């Protein structure tokens, strides 16, 4: 097999890269060891986060650090055996999360986030996939007035700095919007601009089908076999050897399997997360994704049922599955919203690829010709897939990228 470009990794980012390349007339092969979007892109809260200008940072207040240190929370959990390995990453992550540095990062990160909804809309229209979207935003709800006031003040600052739209909800307004939530809430914050997706896996597969309709090919193979061949690349697939003029590494948390073998020591770590689906009990309905802020879990209406998602688990990427956060969250969530029986045989787990400065790696590899990196999107892979896909395709084809890629370059570390 031969192609102009091979894209390694068929999550939402890799699929978007491949689709944008194929649209620009580059014969493209998309390669993964599994089926498309069956890893990290399969399970998330389904948010295309137009409001997500501040990537998720490491907390700096003493109360949060103490809670996390006790390792009993829903929003964060860690494997003690992995802490020694993770310590260098966590130290740099903590440094980049300092308020002044975090604010600088947000200004750069916002250049990506600003385009997330419109770029998804463009691909979804081409892929006949708009049925996966809802346009009513998501809710952050609060049990205490102190937490509500803090987050509303933050939202107002973001509105002034980035133009983000939001709505403040008192208890009565929140009850009118979500009548089946328990009456323990003092109010909420409604982010009105994000798009929500009721089946992230289905959306990614729809984009893949569009890629194939344009002449792209999806094959299974081992990305770790990537090696230089003249001015291009060669690797092994289930259908035989593959040669390509250029390669794009978009393997999410597994990207270092390729980058390390090529001599790049990039600070990539993972935050693992879990989900479970439930039937809504009786006639109960959930109209928006809802974050129970003080407890640290999401409830999201999905095509399969109500999805309960957890926060971050700091562990080795391939460490044993430990869904303790899900087990902590479920009884609280059942009191919060009338959940019925579980719909999945076991909890799903995925790994988010993270960098210490919370920004993805997007751009040309500095020491190899015709090699490009596109990974490290952390919590915003779904949000930024099409934005990143367009940027990489424009760089590969020699166009001027519609977003300045400089802040996301590989050699910033």
């Amino acid at each position: 097999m031969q192609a102009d470009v091979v894209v390694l990794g068929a999550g939402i980012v890799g699929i978007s890269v491949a689709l944008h390349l194929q649209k620009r007339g580059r014969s493209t092969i998309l390669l993964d060891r599994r089926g498309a979007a069956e890893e990290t892109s399969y399970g998330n809260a389904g948010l295309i986060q137009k409001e997500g200008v501040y990537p998720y940072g490491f907390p700096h207040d003493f109360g949060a650090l103490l809670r996390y240190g006790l390792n009993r929370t829903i929003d964060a959990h860690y494997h003690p055996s992995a802490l020694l390995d993770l310590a260098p990453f966590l130290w740099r992550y903590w440094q980049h999360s300092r308020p002044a540095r975090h604010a600088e990062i947000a200004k750069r990160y916002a250049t990506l986030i600003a385009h997330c909804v419109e770029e998804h809309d463009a691909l979804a229209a081409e892929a006949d996939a708009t049925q996966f979207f809802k346009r009513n935003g998501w809710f952050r709800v609060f049990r205490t007035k102190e937490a509500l006031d803090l987050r509303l003040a933050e939202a107002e600052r973001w509105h002034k700095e980035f133009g983000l739209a939001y709505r403040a909800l008192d208890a009565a307004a929140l009850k009118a919007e979500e009548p089946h939530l328990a009456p323990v809430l003092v109010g909420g914050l409604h982010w009105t601009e994000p798009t929500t997706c009721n089946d992230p896996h289905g959306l990614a597969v729809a984009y893949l089908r569009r890629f194939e309709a344009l002449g792209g090919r999806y094959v299974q193979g081992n990305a770790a076999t990537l090696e230089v061949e003249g001015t291009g690349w060669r690797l092994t697939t289930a259908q035989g050897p593959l040669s390509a003029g250029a390669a794009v590494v978009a393997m999410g948390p597994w990207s270092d399997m390729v980058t390390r073998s090529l001599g790049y020591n990039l600070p990539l770590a993972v935050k693992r997360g879990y989900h479970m689906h439930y039937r809504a009990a009786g006639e109960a309905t959930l109209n928006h994704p809802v974050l129970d802020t003080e407890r640290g879990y999401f409830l999201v209406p999905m095509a399969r049922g109500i999805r309960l998602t957890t926060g971050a688990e700091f562990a080795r990427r391939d460490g044993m599955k430990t869904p303790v956060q899900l087990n902590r969250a479920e009884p609280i969530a059942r009191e919060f919203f009338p959940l019925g029986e579980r719909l999945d045989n076991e909890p799903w787990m995925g790994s988010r690829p993270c960098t210490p400065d919370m920004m993805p790696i997007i751009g040309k590899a500095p020491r190899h010709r015709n090699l490009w990196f596109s990974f490290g999107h952390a919590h915003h892979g779904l949000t930024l897939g099409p934005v990143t896909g367009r940027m990489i395709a424009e760089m590969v084809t020699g166009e001027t990228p519609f977003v300045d890629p400089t802040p996301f370059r590989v050699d910033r570390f």
Side-chain angles (χ1 to χ4, degrees), residues 210-226:
R210 175 60 179 165
F211 163 69
E212 293 175 324
L214 293 174
R217 295 183 62 187
Y218 173 74
V219 301
Q220 285 188 292
N222 183 5
T225 64
L226 184 73

Side-chain angles (χ1 to χ4, degrees), residues 185-243:
L185 302 170
V186 299
L189 166 59
H190 179 194
W191 290 112
T192 59
E193 294 179 290
T195 297
T196 62
C197 173
N198 70 356
D199 185 355
H201 178 253
L203 179 69
V205 170
Y207 290 171
L208 174 69
R209 297 290 174 256
R210 175 60 179 165
F211 163 69
E212 293 175 324
L214 293 174
R217 295 183 62 187
Y218 173 74
V219 301
Q220 285 188 292
N222 183 5
T225 64
L226 184 73
E227 60 183 3
V228 175
E229 181 183 60
T231 61
W233 299 91
R234 176 185 176 89
L235 45 74
T236 302
T237 79
Q239 301 175 30
L242 163 63
S243 297

Side-chain angles (χ1 to χ4, degrees), residues 37-368:
E38 289 185 355
E39 295 279 7
T40 308
S41 295
Y42 183 85
N44 51 64
L47 305 180
I48 300 168
Q49 290 191 257
K50 183 72 176 287
E51 91 299 338
V53 292
Y54 272 79
Y56 292 94
F58 198 99
H60 272 249
D61 63 280
F62 179 77
L65 291 173
L66 178 61
R67 287 192 304 110
Y68 294 161
L70 295 174
N71 210 20
R72 298 174 183 173
T73 67
I74 296 169
D75 50 343
H77 179 68
Y78 60 87
H79 286 189
S81 62
L83 284 184
L84 188 61
D85 292 341
L86 293 171
F89 171 84
L90 292 175
W91 170 244
R92 296 177 68 180
Y93 182 24
W94 184 83
Q95 289 180 307
H96 284 294
S97 300
R98 290 174 175 170
R101 175 61 178 151
H102 204 182
E104 293 173 4
I105 289 170
K107 292 177 182 178
R108 298 179 176 91
Y109 198 63
T111 62
L112 295 176
I113 292 290
H115 303 281
C116 63
V117 171
E118 63 195 52
E119 290 302 312
H120 262 290
D121 283 348
L123 290 191
E126 294 179 27
D128 192 24
T130 56
Q131 71 276 10
F132 293 110
F133 293 157
K134 289 187 69 175
R135 306 288 177 176
N136 59 351
W138 66 278
F139 286 0
R140 187 167 194 162
V141 301
F142 303 89
R143 297 165 181 260
T144 64
K145 189 175 186 304
E146 293 77 12
L148 172 62
D149 290 345
L150 179 67
R151 293 302 182 180
L152 288 178
E154 179 182 73
E156 182 59 21
R157 292 196 301 272
W158 294 4
H159 168 69
K160 292 177 179 177
E161 185 174 0
F162 301 104
L164 302 176
Y166 74 95
R167 222 171 29 119
L169 304 171
D170 61 19
L174 182 57
K175 183 174 178 57
E177 295 273 5
E178 295 290 353
H180 294 100
L181 297 182
V184 296
L185 302 170
V186 299
L189 166 59
H190 179 194
W191 290 112
T192 59
E193 294 179 290
T195 297
T196 62
C197 173
N198 70 356
D199 185 355
H201 178 253
L203 179 69
V205 170
Y207 290 171
L208 174 69
R209 297 290 174 256
R210 175 60 179 165
F211 163 69
E212 293 175 324
L214 293 174
R217 295 183 62 187
Y218 173 74
V219 301
Q220 285 188 292
N222 183 5
T225 64
L226 184 73
E227 60 183 3
V228 175
E229 181 183 60
T231 61
W233 299 91
R234 176 185 176 89
L235 45 74
T236 302
T237 79
Q239 301 175 30
L242 163 63
S243 297
V248 180
V249 180
M251 298 165 59
W254 294 275
S255 294
D256 62 353
M257 295 176 63
V258 170
T259 58
R260 285 185 182 277
S261 68
L262 296 174
Y264 297 92
N265 186 23
L266 299 173
L268 191 69
V270 302
K271 295 181 192 175
R272 306 198 312 183
Y274 299 83
H275 81 225
M276 173 61 69
H277 291 99
Y278 302 82
R279 182 182 61 80
E283 300 298 320
T285 57
L286 189 65
N287 300 314
H288 305 78
V290 174
L291 173 63
D292 187 353
T293 303
E294 287 100 332
R295 298 297 184 266
Y297 64 88
F298 251 114
L299 286 179
V300 187
M302 290 283 181
R304 178 165 171 75
I306 304 298
R307 178 177 290 181
L308 169 60
T309 74
T310 66
E313 181 181 64
F314 294 93
R316 296 183 181 90
R317 181 189 60 206
D318 302 318
M320 182 176 63
K321 182 188 294 188
T322 52
V324 295
Q325 291 161 284
L326 188 68
N327 295 332
R328 292 169 184 163
E330 183 176 301
I332 298 171
R334 288 188 179 280
E335 293 181 359
F336 185 71
F337 179 84
L339 296 174
E341 70 274 13
R342 288 185 169 193
L343 299 177
D344 303 325
N345 292 329
E346 62 179 30
W348 177 89
M349 186 195 78
S351 298
R352 309 175 183 99
C354 303
T355 64
D357 67 0
M358 298 163 277
M359 297 196 298
I361 297 171
I362 303 171
K364 192 176 188 308
R367 297 197 299 274
H368 289 82

